[in-house]
Amino acid sequence: MIDASVAALVQYAVDKGLIEECDRTWAENRVLGALGISAYDRPETVPAMELEEILKTLLDDAEARGVISGGVTERDLLDTELMGRLTPRPSQVIGEFKEKLAQSPKAATDWFYGFCQDTDYIRRYRIARDVKWVTPTAYGDLDITINLSKPEKDPKAIAAARTAAQSGYPKCQLCRENEGYAGRMDHPARQNHRIIPITIDGQDWFFQYSPYVYYNEHCIVFNGRHVPMKIDRSAFRKLLDFVVQFPHYFVGSNADLPIVGGSILSHDHFQGGHYTFAMERAEIEKAVSFPGFEDVTAGIVKWPMSVIRLRCADDGRLVDLAEKILTAWRAYSDPAAGIYAETDGEPHNTITPIARRRGDQYELDLVLRNNLTTEEFPLGVFHPHQELHHIKKENIGLIEVMGLAVLPSRLKSELSQLADVLVQGGDLRADEAIAKHADWVEELKKRYTFTADNVMDILHTEVGRVFARVLEDAGVYKCTSEGRLAFERFINSVK
């Protein structure tokens, strides 16, 4: 059976174009070496197997023979090594990408995205397990995802990482040094990972896909140097340079301050892809103008967060105006609106920018952010408030800002448990896992009659509505007459 699975894995690599037919024996020996197998009898007929099944069979056998001790982390380290031994070298991948790029940017990204799935860097079978739905709201259709594709650390990995010698290599999971890295118990293996060099604003950056793919063609664009996130004129220039080169993609940056930034602030990077978010579909609520930039179309977007949209055929003009708005916002305080540029010397104001093409024009969305904390809101005034933490407590980063909720994996089982209690009856507060949802569910019971047929649809809808409230909490200017007047005060202050 193991011989058949080895042969099937090599056949998969041939079928996907990762290796040539003449590489077959070499590839078989590479796989056998990784598995610690010294004898092999190639079967006359290679069984038809899906990649997930092939890898599971090989990993189960390796665990049974003591090559690995088990657990998702060790299994991931080994199956990535197996796939890495069948993945073409970086120079080959870059050469193929450049050939496709000569045809069109879309041809290049289509090929590279498929390649990253074929090498199992993007694990299709795990992505398929994510729970996804769409919730209509006053702001448009919001995307909701319960993320199941990013594996939780298993206890063995946590224990091993605690006792292992600390390594500073690679410096983080975004560094270019991850390409080909064997990994360890506290750092994922990346032997099957490939990156594409690009130049933006005259600097050496790299292009890759996210292994977790929260949306279609979810890519990461990152600095070749390990330097912190920074929103400035150069960041706007880089974003627009990227959409010049890849006009079918959007690209955006997390903010550069804690609480309102992403999970990795230590390495300058952007996220992009081939997807239309609800924020992009949102219309201009009120047109505005900026002195000296009458050629730039500008407006406040109808969105729960505070978004200024700029559009112009000259991308340089967008960079100039975006810098002016950022400079003004960094220093702007409005105590009547609860906005303070700094307290005790700590800066609070920054921007989450997103760039895209609209036909022959360039578009830049500037989302105003503020990370002020108070005794009442210790995690952030413009952050999900405490009553919403049972659904979403984490930072509101770029992806959420645009209208896609990335919710914790715990919610899948918790919503299932809630559904059972709502239909069959029971004490919501008796189970610690779902007690946190009790107040929310008690309110829902006043508005709905739950049945086995409708309970999950209702819970999904209401989770989506909670996410809309999360975005409202994160907005520095609220969608009220007072909030919009305060928003306009800032816009009028930009000179």
Side-chain angles (χ1 to χ4, degrees):
M1 181 62 182
I2 294 307
D3 288 352
S5 296
V6 170
L9 182 59
V10 172
Q11 184 62 52
Y12 170 90
V14 171
D15 292 343
K16 294 298 183 181
L18 302 179
I19 61 174
E20 302 290 338
E21 176 60 42
C22 60
D23 299 322
R24 186 181 294 273
T25 299
W26 166 85
E28 288 170 338
N29 285 325
R30 295 277 291 160
V31 171
L32 293 169
L35 293 170
I37 296 173
S38 57
Y40 175 65
D41 184 13
R42 180 190 295 169
E44 291 186 9
T45 304
V46 179
M49 302 169 66
E50 295 294 329
L51 180 61
E52 182 180 16
E53 180 187 0
I54 296 170
L55 293 173
K56 182 180 185 303
T57 302
L58 295 174
L59 295 174
D60 287 348
D61 175 74
E63 187 173 338
R65 290 184 293 110
V67 176
I68 55 175
S69 59
V72 66
T73 302
E74 279 199 70
R75 291 172 72 92
D76 281 0
L77 289 172
L78 181 55
D79 72 6
T80 303
E81 180 179 0
L82 291 173
M83 294 307 300
R85 292 186 176 216
L86 302 172
T87 299
R89 291 182 180 184
S91 57
Q92 295 172 270
V93 176
I94 292 168
E96 185 71 20
F97 185 87
K98 288 181 176 178
E99 285 187 19
K100 301 293 185 186
L101 191 60
Q103 300 172 26
S104 73
K106 187 175 185 302
T109 57
D110 284 351
W111 172 80
F112 189 45
Y113 188 58
F115 171 84
C116 291
Q117 295 174 78
D118 292 341
T119 63
D120 208 36
Y121 170 71
I122 297 173
R123 299 171 186 255
R124 292 182 177 101
Y125 43 89
R126 284 190 182 168
I127 305 300
R129 296 172 193 155
D130 288 348
V131 180
K132 299 180 180 182
W133 68 92
V134 174
T135 298
T137 72
Y139 308 107
D141 292 343
L142 301 182
D143 294 307
I144 313 297
T145 297
I146 297 177
N147 173 44
L148 304 174
S149 57
K150 188 173 184 178
E152 303 283 347
K153 285 189 176 179
D154 60 76
K156 288 183 180 180
I158 294 171
R162 188 179 297 119
T163 58
Q166 294 300 302
S167 171
Y169 181 87
K171 292 180 180 178
C172 77
Q173 292 188 26
L174 287 178
C175 285
R176 61 181 296 187
E177 288 80 12
N178 282 278
E179 186 178 40
Y181 185 61
R184 52 183 191 266
M185 295 300 279
D186 63 348
H187 193 104
R190 290 290 184 254
Q191 291 103 320
N192 58 349
H193 175 43
R194 297 294 179 264
I195 61 179
I196 303 296
I198 63 172
T199 301
I200 49 178
D201 195 26
Q203 299 180 30
D204 293 332
W205 279 51
F206 291 86
F207 170 84
Q208 69 173 67
Y209 285 104
S210 166
Y212 309 116
V213 191
Y214 294 140
Y215 51 86
N216 186 48
E217 298 180 44
H218 179 182
C219 70
I220 299 172
V221 185
F222 64 97
N223 199 319
R225 298 180 299 126
H226 182 76
V227 295
M229 298 283 293
K230 186 176 184 181
I231 302 300
D232 57 8
R233 179 185 179 88
S234 180
F236 301 136
R237 181 64 270 166
K238 293 186 188 84
L239 292 171
L240 288 161
D241 275 359
F242 182 82
V243 298
V244 167
Q245 297 177 48
F246 300 95
H248 58 301
Y249 272 18
F250 82 89
V251 68
S253 176
N254 270 304
D256 55 357
L257 293 178
I259 297 176
V260 295
S263 58
I264 300 179
L265 293 175
S266 61
H267 195 128
D268 202 9
H269 70 285
F270 307 143
Q271 295 181 80
H274 197 190
Y275 192 72
T276 303
F277 289 86
M279 192 178 81
E280 180 180 344
R281 293 191 296 267
E283 298 179 350
I284 294 295
E285 178 183 296
K286 182 172 183 178
V288 299
S289 62
F290 294 91
F293 290 90
E294 288 74 17
D295 55 324
V296 177
T297 301
I300 295 172
V301 179
K302 184 182 179 183
W303 193 245
M305 298 190 70
S306 306
V307 186
I308 300 171
R309 178 166 294 164
L310 310 176
R311 190 182 299 168
C312 187
D314 183 346
D315 58 335
R317 294 288 285 164
L318 292 188
V319 172
D320 290 343
L321 180 51
E323 181 186 30
K324 186 177 287 287
I325 293 171
L326 174 65
T327 300
W329 179 243
R330 292 277 195 197
Y332 186 78
S333 293
D334 184 351
I339 295 169
Y340 297 88
E342 60 86 23
T343 55
D344 299 324
E346 179 185 352
H348 296 307
N349 289 350
T350 185
I351 280 176
T352 299
I354 302 103
R356 64 182 74 91
R357 294 288 292 270
R358 293 269 196 183
D360 61 354
Q361 293 196 314
Y362 297 91
E363 190 168 270
L364 198 57
D365 282 350
L366 305 178
V367 188
L368 306 182
R369 311 299 301 274
N370 178 288
N371 74 346
L372 179 70
T373 60
T374 63
E375 288 187 7
E376 183 181 4
F377 300 111
L379 296 182
V381 174
F382 305 106
H383 179 84
H385 290 175
Q386 286 90 325
E387 68 271 17
L388 308 180
H389 288 179
H390 65 106
I391 298 294
K392 179 69 174 177
K393 183 179 181 179
E394 299 78 14
N395 291 357
I396 303 306
L398 171 68
I399 295 172
E400 287 90 359
V401 163
M402 296 185 292
L404 191 159
V406 181
L407 302 179
S409 59
R410 63 175 172 81
L411 279 175
K412 183 181 180 182
S413 60
E414 290 174 9
L415 292 179
S416 180
Q417 289 177 265
L418 287 173
D420 289 343
V421 172
L422 285 167
V423 173
Q424 300 171 12
D427 184 357
L428 287 165
R429 302 180 192 276
D431 187 332
E432 184 179 351
I434 60 173
K436 66 176 79 72
H437 301 291
D439 290 344
W440 173 61
V441 172
E442 291 295 349
E443 286 298 314
L444 299 184
K445 288 167 69 175
K446 297 175 184 178
R447 296 191 277 120
Y448 294 103
T449 299
F450 290 97
T451 68
D453 292 332
N454 71 12
V455 61
M456 195 54 73
D457 285 342
I458 291 172
L459 288 175
H460 281 178
T461 295
E462 292 299 328
V463 167
R465 290 174 177 168
V466 168
F467 179 57
R469 291 177 57 197
V470 162
L471 294 181
E472 290 172 343
D473 283 351
V476 295
Y477 295 115
K478 307 309 176 186
C479 298
T480 62
S481 56
E482 294 83 359
R484 282 335 198 207
L485 285 173
F487 200 163
E488 290 180 42
R489 285 200 297 274
F490 166 67
I491 289 173
N492 292 334
S493 77
V494 180
K495 303 298 184 184

